[in-house]
Amino acid sequence: MKRDREDDTIGKRLRDLRRSKGLHQQDLASDDISSSYVSLIETGKRIPSDAVLKSLAKKLDCTVEYLVSGRNESRVSELQLKVAFGDMAIRNGDNGEALQAYSEALAQAEQLDTATVRRARRGQAQALEKLGRLEAAIPLLHELYEDPETVPGSAEWAQSAVALCRCYRLVGDLALAVELGEAALGRLNTLGLDVTDDHLQLGSTLIACYMDRGDLTRANLLATRLTGVAELTGSRAGRGAIYWNAGIVAESRGQTPEALALVERALVLMAEDDGVRHLAMLKHTYGWLMLHGPKPDAARSKELILEAQAALAEVGSTSEQADCEIDLAFAELHLGESDSAFARAQRALGLIGSEPRPEAVMARVVMARSLLASGDVAGARNVLTTAERQLGHLADSRRTAGLWRHMGDLWERCERPAEAGRAYREALSMVGLRQLPMASDALSGSWR
């Protein structure tokens, strides 16, 4: 048997395996192999023949392949099965089980081939994102995105870029989200590749980042450009994703009828596709639009979001499930169901966790509105105080400004004009409208 530099590790594997089984060197000895020869192999001073390897492997209950290369084929099969189980679990929405399976497989990554390791790493990052552990998912996604083996323009590269952009957006780092999304989209344009659904999804995610940042002009321009591209080259799912975000842009610009028409079109396209998660998220968006239009239909909105919630409970992330609870709570407030709305907001907080995120603030906004509807002004004030502390940790954005505006309205209802004024000023400041200087400030030079 021909061997190379792996020979100097045979001894170490032999010694480690023998000790793990509680055996002595003489326990491996036979008529043809002395205990001193075993010692020479373990110290790397002798290279065992094929016959000796077979004898040692039999006594250690392992394969010759393991002694020579460190690969245990039966163990490799077990680890490959774990990765396959992780894939199945994540498709079924069992994200915790998926994460455990991928992590166990990666703990012995040296036993697996490169392709399987990459598959497990992608699954691990996806499971972490779906569990809401975004800070843990981001470095894993960066490793995959920047790996020299990841070919720019490939499906794996585009999917990693989308996931990174989405995670940065969700943790509130819009600057990095936009920077990464623009760079990735620019790279795709430079490569001149055919447009795929992954490319459209990247553009769709970047549109959402522009909207959160308050850059509605860029969001509208990109949505308009990609809508035309999607019509020519995209699948139903790809076109649906673009129409979906174009509808949200239209709503942000006050064009509610156009927004509803675009989202309805996206709903038809995605209903013909097999994307359960995206279809559910689109139904959620449609329900949200029906609640925030000029003629709110809270009952229909609740019906649509409940349908979305049922699907996302199986295949969605914790963030998506929390968003459903929050918007269902808003619908129930419209319907006069304040107790149920409060309970939903509490469930949303349980899904989001303790990190300061926009969703957590919005959940507390719902709780405060529910308490006010029940006449508990003191309770509402306590909830708003907690929400303000969390808001102070969020980066400036259009979304954060909107949350401060909500806070101002609620402080007014709590008969706290000073707190309301401060919240309104924060909202204005975040969209670039800062307080004008007083004459005394200008004269003293204290205002800059």
Side-chain angles (χ1 to χ4, degrees):
M1 182 183 292
K2 185 178 179 181
R3 302 190 191 93
D4 51 23
R5 284 177 295 179
E6 288 181 329
D7 287 317
D8 62 357
T9 65
I10 291 176
K12 182 178 185 306
R13 278 191 286 275
L14 178 65
R15 182 179 65 250
D16 291 346
L17 187 56
R18 172 180 63 75
R19 288 176 175 174
S20 71
K21 292 178 177 291
L23 300 176
H24 299 287
Q25 290 176 340
Q26 55 265 37
D27 294 323
L28 303 185
S30 64
D31 293 340
D32 300 319
I33 306 171
S34 66
S35 59
S36 60
Y37 188 64
V38 172
S39 176
L40 290 172
I41 296 172
E42 290 186 351
T43 55
K45 295 177 181 178
R46 292 291 186 275
I47 298 174
S49 65
D50 291 350
V52 170
L53 282 170
K54 287 178 182 177
S55 175
L56 292 172
K58 184 176 181 180
K59 286 180 177 289
L60 290 167
D61 192 26
C62 70
T63 63
V64 171
E65 176 66 19
Y66 174 75
L67 289 176
V68 173
S69 67
R71 281 178 60 85
N72 184 332
E73 290 305 323
S74 62
R75 184 58 183 153
V76 168
S77 297
E78 291 176 12
L79 295 174
Q80 289 173 335
L81 187 61
K82 280 187 181 294
V83 175
F85 176 80
D87 293 343
M88 182 177 65
I90 209 162
R91 280 196 296 270
N92 292 335
D94 298 323
N95 302 315
E97 292 184 11
L99 178 60
Q100 182 177 348
Y102 290 130
S103 300
E104 288 176 357
L106 288 170
Q108 299 182 58
E110 71 281 355
Q111 295 284 336
L112 296 168
D113 60 89
T114 303
T116 305
V117 170
R118 290 174 64 81
R119 179 176 147 201
R121 287 167 65 200
R122 285 196 303 273
Q124 188 181 46
Q126 186 180 1
L128 285 167
E129 182 188 352
K130 287 195 168 188
L131 288 166
R133 296 169 58 184
L134 304 176
E135 288 80 1
I138 285 172
L140 295 179
L141 288 167
H142 264 297
E143 287 179 16
L144 290 165
Y145 183 62
E146 296 165 357
D147 192 323
E149 296 294 320
T150 305
V151 179
S154 66
E156 181 183 0
W157 181 88
Q159 288 163 11
S160 297
V162 169
L164 265 176
C165 192
R166 183 173 57 234
C167 284
Y168 276 127
R169 175 188 170 225
L170 289 172
V171 298
D173 197 335
L174 294 175
L176 265 177
V178 169
E179 179 184 342
L180 191 144
E182 287 181 338
L185 208 56
R187 186 72 182 275
L188 289 175
N189 292 336
T190 302
L191 291 169
L193 301 172
D194 291 338
V195 175
T196 67
D197 284 354
D198 292 321
H199 301 171
L200 294 174
Q201 189 64 48
L202 176 59
S204 181
T205 306
L206 183 55
I207 290 169
C209 294
Y210 283 146
M211 289 176 56
D212 280 359
R213 195 173 68 173
D215 197 343
L216 299 184
T217 300
R218 286 195 183 188
N220 187 53
L221 287 172
L222 184 55
T224 302
R225 179 167 70 85
L226 290 179
T227 298
V229 173
E231 279 297 328
L232 293 173
T233 60
S235 68
R236 287 187 176 91
R239 286 151 60 199
I242 297 302
Y243 284 125
W244 173 3
N245 278 278
I248 298 174
V249 173
E251 191 278 333
S252 297
R253 295 164 70 91
Q255 301 162 337
T256 305
E258 181 183 341
L260 284 167
L262 286 164
V263 173
E264 283 175 358
R265 191 169 182 184
L267 198 56
V268 170
L269 287 166
M270 286 197 171
E272 298 173 1
D273 196 76
D274 192 32
V276 176
R277 174 170 168 264
H278 285 114
L279 179 59
M281 291 170 67
L282 184 55
K283 282 185 176 180
H284 178 193
T285 300
Y286 192 32
W288 182 87
L289 283 172
M290 296 195 77
L291 190 63
H292 291 79
K295 296 180 179 179
D297 186 346
R300 179 59 179 151
S301 172
K302 182 177 178 179
E303 182 182 334
L304 283 166
I305 300 174
L306 281 172
E307 289 178 14
Q309 184 187 43
L312 291 172
E314 298 294 327
V315 297
S317 68
T318 54
S319 178
E320 291 157 0
Q321 293 167 34
D323 283 341
C324 278
E325 291 285 8
I326 291 168
D327 288 335
L328 280 169
F330 270 115
E332 288 173 346
L333 283 172
H334 276 271
L335 295 169
E337 302 167 5
S338 58
D339 289 344
S340 179
F342 186 87
R344 286 194 183 280
Q346 283 187 314
R347 285 198 290 274
L349 285 175
L351 288 165
I352 295 163
S354 59
E355 292 295 322
R357 290 182 184 161
E359 296 86 356
V361 176
M362 185 57 78
R364 288 189 165 87
V365 164
V366 174
M367 291 171 69
R369 287 185 58 174
S370 302
L371 290 167
L372 285 170
S374 302
D376 187 354
V377 177
R381 288 171 178 170
N382 289 334
V383 170
L384 289 174
T385 300
T386 302
E388 274 201 349
R389 283 200 297 268
Q390 287 202 311
L391 261 176
H393 293 284
L394 301 182
D396 291 4
S397 71
R398 181 174 181 273
R399 189 178 186 185
T400 308
L403 290 170
W404 277 113
R405 167 60 198 268
H406 283 306
M407 296 289 291
D409 293 345
L410 289 169
W411 277 124
E412 277 196 341
R413 291 178 60 185
C414 290
E415 298 181 350
R416 288 292 183 88
E419 287 84 348
R422 183 177 66 247
Y424 289 138
R425 286 193 296 274
E426 289 286 351
L428 290 169
S429 176
M430 288 198 173
V431 293
L433 298 175
R434 301 192 180 277
Q435 185 177 2
L436 291 173
M438 302 298 288
S440 58
D441 294 332
L443 290 172
S444 67
S446 62
W447 181 80
R448 294 289 184 269

